[in-house]
Amino acid sequence: MCPPGCLHSICEKATRRGLLKTGFTLGLGAAAAAFPGTPQAQAAPTSFSETVDLSHALYEGFPTFSGEKWFTVEHLVTFAKDKVNLNRWTIVEHSGTHMDAPIHFSADGLTADLIPISDLIVPVAVINIASRAAENADTSLTPDDIKAWEAKNGPLPEGCCVVMNSGWHKLLDDPKFTGNDGEKRNHTPGFHVETAQFLIGERNVKGIGVDTLSLDTGLNSGGAFPVHYEWLGSGRWGVECLANLDAIPEVGARLFLGIPKVRGATGGPTRVIALL
Amino acid sequence: MCPPGCLHSICEKATRRGLLKTGFTLGLGAAAAAFPGTPQAQAAPTSFSETVDLSHALYEGFPTFSGEKWFTVEHLVTFAKDKVNLNRWTIVEHSGTHMDAPIHFSADGLTADLIPISDLIVPVAVINIASRAAENADTSLTPDDIKAWEAKNGPLPEGCCVVMNSGWHKLLDDPKFTGNDGEKRNHTPGFHVETAQFLIGERNVKGIGVDTLSLDTGLNSGGAFPVHYEWLGSGRWGVECLANLDAIPEVGARLFLGIPKVRGATGGPTRVIALL
């Protein structure tokens, strides 16, 4: 049984629509060929001289795509009374800036603690669709956007993370961030499922990232989640709610994904820092 | 009011012993001079070609110095039933491999989200006292240990983290890890308060780290916490429960501290990765 509320509805829809049989099993096939199950050395020495924080600060009331409250804080002791400050969090793994591990939308994908650390420091390709998204919040990042980026910047770096810069990272305090239309639909940009399929089949990419609440478009995040099933089901990871994307270049930076190592985790709040 | 149980006892003892008036106010004085409140650029390009995970995997029942259970997981939905895996954690910020922010033992030190990211990627000096700790679990890392390390390796790197390798990182599944003697005392190595004072006054060090449950010795972690008050009170951070310390050199590596960015946090579970 699902818990009550939105998650219940998501699960029901996902099951009913049989997405397991389409996106996910396709993903499993790809995973057999590309499963990143073993640690890999860094290919060559990496150098950096600047760092940029790509993480939003998490707080009670941080937006979620379902509208549920996913993060609360208890002040167990305080310095004023107790001479120690110490808090306890109650947190859904997918709160704030966070990673999705393959297991999040698969039966037996890697849990967050088992993602090789060499996959946590990767080149990043930033694909800017902000002007299009400003006109149409339901737009998606397509294979043509990838090809246009490559025409300008050269092939995607091997083993990179492809990040969508939709401009949404600047809208955290705006109702547009969730894009909820009052009729249980969200209008936010995301990856197109064909882009996930293209990157799995035609490129060597470890992760995809977005500055919105979901790898999928908002309209696809109410139960269908085709990109989640396709991408995470292929054994790859995602990162959501990235901040500050205008501060890094389209090509040349590297992401460091500081995800807590929690046994069996389907994801977790993640400190994402760009190395330039 | 403190909550019931061990934390209550810790708070009572800390207040009663007047540590605020000794260690902490001394620390505040130092903080005025050395407060790391503004972002700093990396001093020079940093290069690395290998990565080593220095984080233990966190699980329900992971040891805590108080013996309390600080981490639990609820499986909100599962793939088997719901076609999605998603968990909720209830977690005290100082669980598993984790950072202590200055605010943890101070009235107005930096919260974890405000630590400049340039302070989250720092050189590391590893000081091995494992053979002494194997003979005497109550031993501490002293100023003489720092001086002996420098006689061998040269001055501590500017802005580094000084890490104690006590061998405890190999004892996670052993009762020695908490060192509890059944009489409410823990026997585990830690920093000596004179070492904290020496590093604050005589060296440029951003953090200290341990492979035990506390920056302080176990005997000093039942209420007194002199190193916590001194070090965190000076505006500096700590990192506890480091793993795998034998896999990095005494000098030459760099730490990356991936702490989730949570507003007002006194610390948090942290992915610590060494860059070599």
Side-chain angles (χ1 to χ4, degrees), chain B residues 91-144:
Chain B
I91 181 169
V92 175
E93 291 163 328
H94 299 262
S95 301
T97 300
H98 69 278
M99 284 186 78
D100 287 1
I103 193 68
H104 183 35
F105 271 72
S106 66
D108 56 4
L110 285 183
T111 52
D113 52 315
L114 298 181
I115 296 173
I117 59 168
S118 57
D119 287 4
L120 299 180
I121 306 178
V122 296
V124 56
V126 183
I127 302 191
N128 194 316
I129 62 165
S131 60
R132 194 165 83 224
E135 299 294 320
N136 175 16
D138 298 322
T139 195
S140 59
L141 192 153
T142 67
D144 283 347

Tab-separated table of all heavy atoms in Angstrom, chain B residues 91-144:
chain	number	residue	atom	x	y	z
B	91	ILE	N	16.855	11.660	11.353
B	91	ILE	CA	18.304	11.650	11.525
B	91	ILE	C	18.772	12.827	12.375
B	91	ILE	O	18.445	13.986	12.074
B	91	ILE	CB	18.996	11.637	10.133
B	91	ILE	CG1	20.520	11.613	10.281
B	91	ILE	CG2	18.539	12.787	9.243
B	91	ILE	CD1	21.236	11.329	8.958
B	92	VAL	N	19.483	12.523	13.433
B	92	VAL	CA	20.190	13.574	14.162
B	92	VAL	C	21.375	14.001	13.293
B	92	VAL	O	22.049	13.152	12.677
B	92	VAL	CB	20.660	13.076	15.544
B	92	VAL	CG1	21.503	14.136	16.250
B	92	VAL	CG2	19.450	12.712	16.405
B	93	GLU	N	21.604	15.294	13.204
B	93	GLU	CA	22.585	15.828	12.248
B	93	GLU	C	23.973	15.198	12.389
B	93	GLU	O	24.770	15.227	11.453
B	93	GLU	CB	22.727	17.344	12.436
B	93	GLU	CG	21.498	18.145	12.010
B	93	GLU	CD	21.502	19.544	12.578
B	93	GLU	OE1	22.036	19.730	13.694
B	93	GLU	OE2	20.968	20.445	11.911
B	94	HIS	N	24.254	14.662	13.577
B	94	HIS	CA	25.622	14.200	13.864
B	94	HIS	C	25.704	12.675	13.831
B	94	HIS	O	26.272	12.042	14.704
B	94	HIS	CB	26.106	14.807	15.176
B	94	HIS	CG	26.140	16.304	15.108
B	94	HIS	ND1	27.279	17.031	14.839
B	94	HIS	CD2	25.138	17.221	15.188
B	94	HIS	CE1	26.998	18.314	14.782
B	94	HIS	NE2	25.691	18.464	14.994
B	95	SER	N	25.120	12.102	12.775
B	95	SER	CA	25.091	10.644	12.603
B	95	SER	C	26.100	10.221	11.545
B	95	SER	O	26.281	10.898	10.535
B	95	SER	CB	23.696	10.200	12.150
B	95	SER	OG	22.711	10.582	13.088
B	96	GLY	N	26.727	9.067	11.767
B	96	GLY	CA	27.654	8.517	10.777
B	96	GLY	C	28.847	9.435	10.568
B	96	GLY	O	29.239	10.208	11.451
B	97	THR	N	29.451	9.337	9.385
B	97	THR	CA	30.527	10.261	9.025
B	97	THR	C	29.886	11.628	8.818
B	97	THR	O	28.997	11.766	7.975
B	97	THR	CB	31.220	9.780	7.733
B	97	THR	OG1	31.769	8.469	7.954
B	97	THR	CG2	32.318	10.745	7.317
B	98	HIS	N	30.313	12.606	9.598
B	98	HIS	CA	29.580	13.878	9.574
B	98	HIS	C	30.459	15.039	9.995
B	98	HIS	O	31.489	14.857	10.634
B	98	HIS	CB	28.376	13.815	10.518
B	98	HIS	CG	28.775	13.763	11.966
B	98	HIS	ND1	29.142	12.607	12.593
B	98	HIS	CD2	28.888	14.751	12.901
B	98	HIS	CE1	29.465	12.863	13.855
B	98	HIS	NE2	29.320	14.159	14.065
B	99	MET	N	30.018	16.247	9.617
B	99	MET	CA	30.701	17.473	10.044
B	99	MET	C	30.024	18.059	11.270
B	99	MET	O	28.813	17.908	11.470
B	99	MET	CB	30.673	18.528	8.928
B	99	MET	CG	31.663	18.257	7.801
B	99	MET	SD	31.697	19.637	6.616
B	99	MET	CE	32.704	20.857	7.502
B	100	ASP	N	30.838	18.742	12.075
B	100	ASP	CA	30.362	19.629	13.132
B	100	ASP	C	30.581	21.059	12.650
B	100	ASP	O	31.723	21.458	12.372
B	100	ASP	CB	31.192	19.455	14.414
B	100	ASP	CG	30.910	18.154	15.148
B	100	ASP	OD1	30.086	17.351	14.694
B	100	ASP	OD2	31.558	17.954	16.198
B	101	ALA	N	29.518	21.845	12.561
B	101	ALA	CA	29.669	23.268	12.227
B	101	ALA	C	29.988	24.042	13.508
B	101	ALA	O	29.691	23.587	14.617
B	101	ALA	CB	28.382	23.796	11.605
B	102	PRO	N	30.589	25.226	13.361
B	102	PRO	CA	30.908	26.021	14.573
B	102	PRO	C	29.711	26.215	15.507
B	102	PRO	O	29.867	26.191	16.727
B	102	PRO	CB	31.401	27.344	13.970
B	102	PRO	CG	32.036	26.931	12.672
B	102	PRO	CD	31.151	25.829	12.146
B	103	ILE	N	28.512	26.364	14.964
B	103	ILE	CA	27.331	26.622	15.794
B	103	ILE	C	27.004	25.458	16.721
B	103	ILE	O	26.271	25.642	17.709
B	103	ILE	CB	26.109	26.929	14.886
B	103	ILE	CG1	24.935	27.524	15.674
B	103	ILE	CG2	25.622	25.688	14.162
B	103	ILE	CD1	25.172	28.892	16.217
B	104	HIS	N	27.535	24.277	16.441
B	104	HIS	CA	27.205	23.098	17.252
B	104	HIS	C	27.557	23.325	18.726
B	104	HIS	O	26.809	22.934	19.621
B	104	HIS	CB	27.959	21.892	16.681
B	104	HIS	CG	27.703	20.576	17.344
B	104	HIS	ND1	26.480	20.206	17.873
B	104	HIS	CD2	28.525	19.505	17.555
B	104	HIS	CE1	26.564	18.972	18.365
B	104	HIS	NE2	27.785	18.529	18.201
B	105	PHE	N	28.706	23.965	18.976
B	105	PHE	CA	29.115	24.232	20.362
B	105	PHE	C	29.432	25.714	20.553
B	105	PHE	O	30.433	26.077	21.171
B	105	PHE	CB	30.334	23.371	20.740
B	105	PHE	CG	29.950	22.017	21.300
B	105	PHE	CD1	29.440	21.032	20.473
B	105	PHE	CD2	30.087	21.737	22.650
B	105	PHE	CE1	29.073	19.787	20.967
B	105	PHE	CE2	29.730	20.492	23.164
B	105	PHE	CZ	29.216	19.511	22.320
B	106	SER	N	28.584	26.575	20.015
B	106	SER	CA	28.777	28.012	20.214
B	106	SER	C	27.434	28.709	20.104
B	106	SER	O	26.462	28.144	19.592
B	106	SER	CB	29.759	28.584	19.182
B	106	SER	OG	29.221	28.523	17.876
B	107	ALA	N	27.399	29.945	20.592
B	107	ALA	CA	26.143	30.692	20.584
B	107	ALA	C	25.816	31.244	19.209
B	107	ALA	O	24.654	31.312	18.816
B	107	ALA	CB	26.218	31.836	21.593
B	108	ASP	N	26.836	31.632	18.465
B	108	ASP	CA	26.576	32.347	17.213
B	108	ASP	C	27.597	32.027	16.123
B	108	ASP	O	27.824	32.822	15.226
B	108	ASP	CB	26.554	33.852	17.475
B	108	ASP	CG	27.841	34.331	18.137
B	108	ASP	OD1	28.758	33.512	18.324
B	108	ASP	OD2	27.915	35.522	18.481
B	109	GLY	N	28.184	30.856	16.182
B	109	GLY	CA	29.103	30.453	15.118
B	109	GLY	C	28.358	30.151	13.828
B	109	GLY	O	27.122	30.142	13.779
B	110	LEU	N	29.123	29.887	12.783
B	110	LEU	CA	28.516	29.612	11.479
B	110	LEU	C	27.695	28.332	11.517
B	110	LEU	O	28.117	27.333	12.089
B	110	LEU	CB	29.607	29.444	10.418
B	110	LEU	CG	30.316	30.683	9.906
B	110	LEU	CD1	31.308	30.283	8.810
B	110	LEU	CD2	29.329	31.698	9.360
B	111	THR	N	26.539	28.387	10.870
B	111	THR	CA	25.784	27.163	10.616
B	111	THR	C	26.385	26.482	9.381
B	111	THR	O	27.128	27.106	8.604
B	111	THR	CB	24.299	27.485	10.399
B	111	THR	OG1	24.175	28.502	9.400
B	111	THR	CG2	23.685	27.988	11.704
B	112	ALA	N	26.048	25.209	9.206
B	112	ALA	CA	26.711	24.416	8.170
B	112	ALA	C	26.524	25.008	6.774
B	112	ALA	O	27.441	24.977	5.949
B	112	ALA	CB	26.193	22.989	8.207
B	113	ASP	N	25.339	25.554	6.516
B	113	ASP	CA	25.056	26.084	5.179
B	113	ASP	C	25.872	27.329	4.860
B	113	ASP	O	26.005	27.694	3.693
B	113	ASP	CB	23.557	26.401	5.040
B	113	ASP	CG	23.036	27.280	6.188
B	113	ASP	OD1	23.369	26.993	7.349
B	113	ASP	OD2	22.296	28.240	5.919
B	114	LEU	N	26.420	27.975	5.885
B	114	LEU	CA	27.154	29.230	5.669
B	114	LEU	C	28.665	29.050	5.655
B	114	LEU	O	29.406	30.013	5.450
B	114	LEU	CB	26.744	30.256	6.734
B	114	LEU	CG	25.260	30.643	6.701
B	114	LEU	CD1	24.954	31.679	7.780
B	114	LEU	CD2	24.859	31.180	5.323
B	115	ILE	N	29.138	27.838	5.899
B	115	ILE	CA	30.582	27.606	5.787
B	115	ILE	C	30.974	27.830	4.326
B	115	ILE	O	30.378	27.234	3.424
B	115	ILE	CB	30.944	26.170	6.219
B	115	ILE	CG1	30.618	25.956	7.700
B	115	ILE	CG2	32.422	25.885	5.954
B	115	ILE	CD1	30.792	24.515	8.174
B	116	PRO	N	31.945	28.707	4.069
B	116	PRO	CA	32.317	28.967	2.663
B	116	PRO	C	32.741	27.677	1.962
B	116	PRO	O	33.435	26.847	2.564
B	116	PRO	CB	33.513	29.922	2.784
B	116	PRO	CG	33.403	30.528	4.144
B	116	PRO	CD	32.757	29.490	5.012
B	117	ILE	N	32.331	27.514	0.710
B	117	ILE	CA	32.666	26.250	0.041
B	117	ILE	C	34.168	26.113	-0.153
B	117	ILE	O	34.665	24.995	-0.264
B	117	ILE	CB	31.919	26.063	-1.300
B	117	ILE	CG1	32.214	27.187	-2.283
B	117	ILE	CG2	30.443	25.910	-1.058
B	117	ILE	CD1	31.712	26.859	-3.688
B	118	SER	N	34.905	27.229	-0.143
B	118	SER	CA	36.363	27.101	-0.232
B	118	SER	C	36.928	26.419	1.006
B	118	SER	O	38.039	25.898	0.983
B	118	SER	CB	37.009	28.476	-0.413
B	118	SER	OG	36.645	29.331	0.655
B	119	ASP	N	36.169	26.406	2.091
B	119	ASP	CA	36.604	25.695	3.303
B	119	ASP	C	36.189	24.230	3.286
B	119	ASP	O	36.479	23.497	4.228
B	119	ASP	CB	36.014	26.361	4.557
B	119	ASP	CG	36.681	27.688	4.869
B	119	ASP	OD1	37.549	28.127	4.076
B	119	ASP	OD2	36.344	28.290	5.900
B	120	LEU	N	35.492	23.820	2.226
B	120	LEU	CA	35.048	22.419	2.136
B	120	LEU	C	35.983	21.591	1.251
B	120	LEU	O	35.770	20.394	1.060
B	120	LEU	CB	33.615	22.342	1.597
B	120	LEU	CG	32.542	23.040	2.444
B	120	LEU	CD1	31.163	22.885	1.791
B	120	LEU	CD2	32.507	22.488	3.875
B	121	ILE	N	36.998	22.242	0.677
B	121	ILE	CA	38.009	21.522	-0.107
B	121	ILE	C	39.365	22.000	0.408
B	121	ILE	O	39.795	23.105	0.081
B	121	ILE	CB	37.876	21.795	-1.618
B	121	ILE	CG1	36.443	21.498	-2.088
B	121	ILE	CG2	38.873	20.938	-2.405
B	121	ILE	CD1	36.212	21.777	-3.565
B	122	VAL	N	39.997	21.191	1.220
B	122	VAL	CA	41.199	21.651	1.936
B	122	VAL	C	42.266	20.558	1.961
B	122	VAL	O	41.939	19.363	1.910
B	122	VAL	CB	40.855	22.046	3.398
B	122	VAL	CG1	39.914	23.236	3.427
B	122	VAL	CG2	40.274	20.874	4.170
B	123	PRO	N	43.546	20.960	2.075
B	123	PRO	CA	44.597	19.945	2.252
B	123	PRO	C	44.393	19.207	3.571
B	123	PRO	O	43.792	19.745	4.508
B	123	PRO	CB	45.884	20.778	2.307
B	123	PRO	CG	45.524	22.144	1.828
B	123	PRO	CD	44.064	22.327	2.089
B	124	VAL	N	44.889	17.978	3.629
B	124	VAL	CA	44.728	17.196	4.847
B	124	VAL	C	46.087	16.678	5.330
B	124	VAL	O	46.897	16.197	4.532
B	124	VAL	CB	43.722	16.036	4.650
B	124	VAL	CG1	44.121	15.132	3.502
B	124	VAL	CG2	43.542	15.244	5.936
B	125	ALA	N	46.309	16.831	6.625
B	125	ALA	CA	47.493	16.267	7.286
B	125	ALA	C	47.008	15.149	8.206
B	125	ALA	O	46.175	15.388	9.075
B	125	ALA	CB	48.203	17.348	8.098
B	126	VAL	N	47.496	13.939	7.970
B	126	VAL	CA	47.035	12.782	8.747
B	126	VAL	C	48.091	12.421	9.791
B	126	VAL	O	49.247	12.164	9.451
B	126	VAL	CB	46.778	11.571	7.826
B	126	VAL	CG1	46.225	10.399	8.644
B	126	VAL	CG2	45.811	11.935	6.707
B	127	ILE	N	47.665	12.421	11.035
B	127	ILE	CA	48.598	12.151	12.131
B	127	ILE	C	48.219	10.815	12.766
B	127	ILE	O	47.128	10.658	13.318
B	127	ILE	CB	48.571	13.301	13.145
B	127	ILE	CG1	48.929	14.596	12.398
B	127	ILE	CG2	49.517	13.020	14.310
B	127	ILE	CD1	49.201	15.784	13.224
B	128	ASN	N	49.139	9.859	12.634
B	128	ASN	CA	48.843	8.482	13.016
B	128	ASN	C	49.292	8.204	14.447
B	128	ASN	O	50.487	8.219	14.749
B	128	ASN	CB	49.550	7.531	12.044
B	128	ASN	CG	49.014	6.123	12.164
B	128	ASN	OD1	48.808	5.618	13.263
B	128	ASN	ND2	48.787	5.490	11.023
B	129	ILE	N	48.309	7.979	15.315
B	129	ILE	CA	48.631	7.606	16.696
B	129	ILE	C	48.066	6.214	17.003
B	129	ILE	O	47.800	5.872	18.160
B	129	ILE	CB	48.101	8.638	17.719
B	129	ILE	CG1	46.563	8.725	17.668
B	129	ILE	CG2	48.718	10.013	17.501
B	129	ILE	CD1	45.957	9.434	18.890
B	130	ALA	N	47.918	5.408	15.933
B	130	ALA	CA	47.230	4.117	16.087
B	130	ALA	C	47.975	3.166	17.019
B	130	ALA	O	47.338	2.452	17.809
B	130	ALA	CB	47.024	3.484	14.715
B	131	SER	N	49.303	3.141	16.950
B	131	SER	CA	50.002	2.161	17.795
B	131	SER	C	49.836	2.545	19.261
B	131	SER	O	49.621	1.678	20.117
B	131	SER	CB	51.482	2.063	17.401
B	131	SER	OG	52.102	3.311	17.545
B	132	ARG	N	49.899	3.827	19.563
B	132	ARG	CA	49.709	4.268	20.961
B	132	ARG	C	48.257	4.017	21.410
B	132	ARG	O	48.013	3.573	22.532
B	132	ARG	CB	50.048	5.753	21.063
B	132	ARG	CG	50.225	6.254	22.462
B	132	ARG	CD	50.921	7.613	22.443
B	132	ARG	NE	49.999	8.717	22.211
B	132	ARG	CZ	50.247	9.723	21.370
B	132	ARG	NH1	51.386	9.768	20.667
B	132	ARG	NH2	49.373	10.699	21.222
B	133	ALA	N	47.315	4.279	20.517
B	133	ALA	CA	45.902	4.093	20.870
B	133	ALA	C	45.565	2.624	21.083
B	133	ALA	O	44.691	2.293	21.888
B	133	ALA	CB	45.020	4.692	19.772
B	134	ALA	N	46.262	1.732	20.361
B	134	ALA	CA	46.024	0.295	20.558
B	134	ALA	C	46.423	-0.124	21.974
B	134	ALA	O	45.824	-1.034	22.551
B	134	ALA	CB	46.804	-0.509	19.516
B	135	GLU	N	47.406	0.559	22.537
B	135	GLU	CA	47.854	0.258	23.907
B	135	GLU	C	46.978	0.953	24.949
B	135	GLU	O	46.771	0.454	26.050
B	135	GLU	CB	49.317	0.738	24.098
B	135	GLU	CG	50.315	0.065	23.179
B	135	GLU	CD	50.456	-1.419	23.495
B	135	GLU	OE1	50.456	-1.762	24.693
B	135	GLU	OE2	50.532	-2.225	22.552
B	136	ASN	N	46.512	2.150	24.605
B	136	ASN	CA	45.762	2.959	25.568
B	136	ASN	C	44.653	3.726	24.850
B	136	ASN	O	44.907	4.752	24.218
B	136	ASN	CB	46.712	3.938	26.275
B	136	ASN	CG	45.976	4.895	27.195
B	136	ASN	OD1	44.804	4.665	27.552
B	136	ASN	ND2	46.650	5.982	27.571
B	137	ALA	N	43.431	3.231	24.965
B	137	ALA	CA	42.308	3.827	24.238
B	137	ALA	C	42.005	5.252	24.718
B	137	ALA	O	41.311	5.999	24.032
B	137	ALA	CB	41.066	2.959	24.386
B	138	ASP	N	42.517	5.630	25.878
B	138	ASP	CA	42.250	6.971	26.409
B	138	ASP	C	43.300	7.995	25.975
B	138	ASP	O	43.286	9.138	26.447
B	138	ASP	CB	42.193	6.921	27.940
B	138	ASP	CG	41.059	6.032	28.451
B	138	ASP	OD1	39.979	6.035	27.839
B	138	ASP	OD2	41.282	5.320	29.456
B	139	THR	N	44.186	7.591	25.086
B	139	THR	CA	45.250	8.513	24.680
B	139	THR	C	44.669	9.672	23.867
B	139	THR	O	43.543	9.594	23.361
B	139	THR	CB	46.330	7.786	23.853
B	139	THR	OG1	47.494	8.611	23.774
B	139	THR	CG2	45.834	7.463	22.455
B	140	SER	N	45.447	10.737	23.771
B	140	SER	CA	44.986	11.878	22.973
B	140	SER	C	46.090	12.388	22.072
B	140	SER	O	47.276	12.152	22.313
B	140	SER	CB	44.474	13.005	23.881
B	140	SER	OG	45.493	13.434	24.754
B	141	LEU	N	45.662	13.078	21.024
B	141	LEU	CA	46.603	13.679	20.080
B	141	LEU	C	47.080	15.002	20.677
B	141	LEU	O	46.282	15.902	20.948
B	141	LEU	CB	45.922	13.889	18.730
B	141	LEU	CG	46.828	14.239	17.554
B	141	LEU	CD1	46.193	13.789	16.244
B	141	LEU	CD2	47.147	15.722	17.486
B	142	THR	N	48.396	15.108	20.884
B	142	THR	CA	48.967	16.237	21.630
B	142	THR	C	49.708	17.207	20.704
B	142	THR	O	50.015	16.864	19.552
B	142	THR	CB	49.969	15.715	22.678
B	142	THR	OG1	51.087	15.143	21.968
B	142	THR	CG2	49.333	14.666	23.589
B	143	PRO	N	50.043	18.388	21.210
B	143	PRO	CA	50.894	19.293	20.424
B	143	PRO	C	52.201	18.638	20.007
B	143	PRO	O	52.716	18.914	18.909
B	143	PRO	CB	51.119	20.473	21.384
B	143	PRO	CG	49.884	20.496	22.240
B	143	PRO	CD	49.542	19.039	22.444
B	144	ASP	N	52.758	17.761	20.850
B	144	ASP	CA	53.994	17.070	20.467
B	144	ASP	C	53.796	16.183	19.241
B	144	ASP	O	54.728	16.024	18.431
B	144	ASP	CB	54.519	16.219	21.638
B	144	ASP	CG	55.213	17.077	22.693
B	144	ASP	OD1	55.511	18.267	22.402
B	144	ASP	OD2	55.461	16.574	23.806
